[in-house]
Amino acid sequence: MAESAGPAADETLLFLTDDQIRKGIEAMFFAYRGFTADPDRILAVQGYGRAHHRAIHFINRSPGTTVNNLLAILGVTKQSLNRVLRTLIDDGLVRSEVGTRDRRERNLYLTEAGAALERELSTAQRDRMRAAFRQAGPEAVAGFRRVLEAMMDGDMRRHYMRFRESES
Amino acid sequence: MAESAGPAADETLLFLTDDQIRKGIEAMFFAYRGFTADPDRILAVQGYGRAHHRAIHFINRSPGTTVNNLLAILGVTKQSLNRVLRTLIDDGLVRSEVGTRDRRERNLYLTEAGAALERELSTAQRDRMRAAFRQAGPEAVAGFRRVLEAMMDGDMRRHYMRFRESES
DNA sequence: CTTGGAATGTCAACAAGGCTGACATAAATT
DNA sequence: AATTTATGTCAGCCTTGTTGACATTCCAAG
């Protein structure tokens, strides 16, 4: 913070040059495409999209979660999420139960069919991630995670950390 | 490849456990949201979206690029790109010139107004990336890039590498 | 106890930006 | 001359964002 008087004048900060940063930006762009490519292909077959994947992922991650919880994590409007949730419920992939403590809430669970699709999706995505991790090596993976965590918005980092802690 | 008989039996591969992979997947998801958040805010003001940002970014990156080139990099249909390009041309942010060597082609350039918006967008995005890089440190950045490069599809890696080489 | 908000979820309508298919035009290639 | 290539355009569809209106449920203040 104190040493950033000139634009990258210090040669120990070469990884902060505009060119390095630009490469990072493009790496992020191209890699995210690969990251979603396999699930996208699977989802397209049954007429679903990325929004369905996100809902399925986080319901699987926290069974019994409420619509409001999901809204906070996914960062969309409740109307948008509701449409996706409705098709998943109608198609028998998600079960919605009236909350016991507060009957305004709906607790969401994957059905067997939902869990099966979740496994199919996450297997495809994990296979690619695993291959990338194996190719890059453990230290690269640690760096990858450190940079991504620093890039998150505060709110999202909270959700991410909550998930990280919830399993050993 | 040969040693992967059992599920993560080797303790030197702990970074390849399903749990580690899942953390990587969620890190990617949450970080990408942060990555696009600042440009999204700027674009929303002038009524543009992420599609406009992508077009502007890559036209700025390779001035004079053709429509076909852009299609290959962005991975969308020409109809979809055309709609975005048309608004950018009509709004005076992009200039389209008939190709000299091959007059079927259109060479695309940013106008002054286009370059100004590009600077505004990339400054916001670079600031966040720079902060993340600085916080994570040079070795983390190297690992970040290695993992992302391994995660790209072959085609996308080609485009990425082409860009990387095009500047020292 | 009742009543007025606040929280939660649903329904309707609209826009952006993907997609496919069909077709036109001009230029290059064979 | 015929074909292929590059680009643009029209029409129509889908997913997934948005806002607005509204129903239900809970809770707290009177």
Side-chain angles (χ1 to χ4, degrees), chain A residues 106-120:
Chain A
R106 299 289 179 275
N107 296 118
L108 304 170
Y109 304 90
L110 293 185
T111 63
E112 252 319 303
L117 177 56
E118 195 283 328
R119 276 190 298 273
E120 191 184 358

Side-chain angles (χ1 to χ4, degrees), chain A residues 66-68 78-79 82-83 86 104-106:
Chain A
T66 63
V67 173
N68 241 5
K78 60 179 176 172
Q79 294 91 329
N82 186 256
R83 187 183 329 108
R86 182 105 324 269
R104 290 172 300 184
E105 295 182 340
R106 299 289 179 275

Side-chain angles (χ1 to χ4, degrees), chain A residues 112-138:
Chain A
E112 252 319 303
L117 177 56
E118 195 283 328
R119 276 190 298 273
E120 191 184 358
L121 291 169
S122 73
T123 295
Q125 197 162 42
R126 268 205 301 264
D127 284 353
R128 183 188 289 253
M129 184 75 71
R130 192 185 339 265
F133 277 14
R134 189 191 304 268
Q135 194 178 321

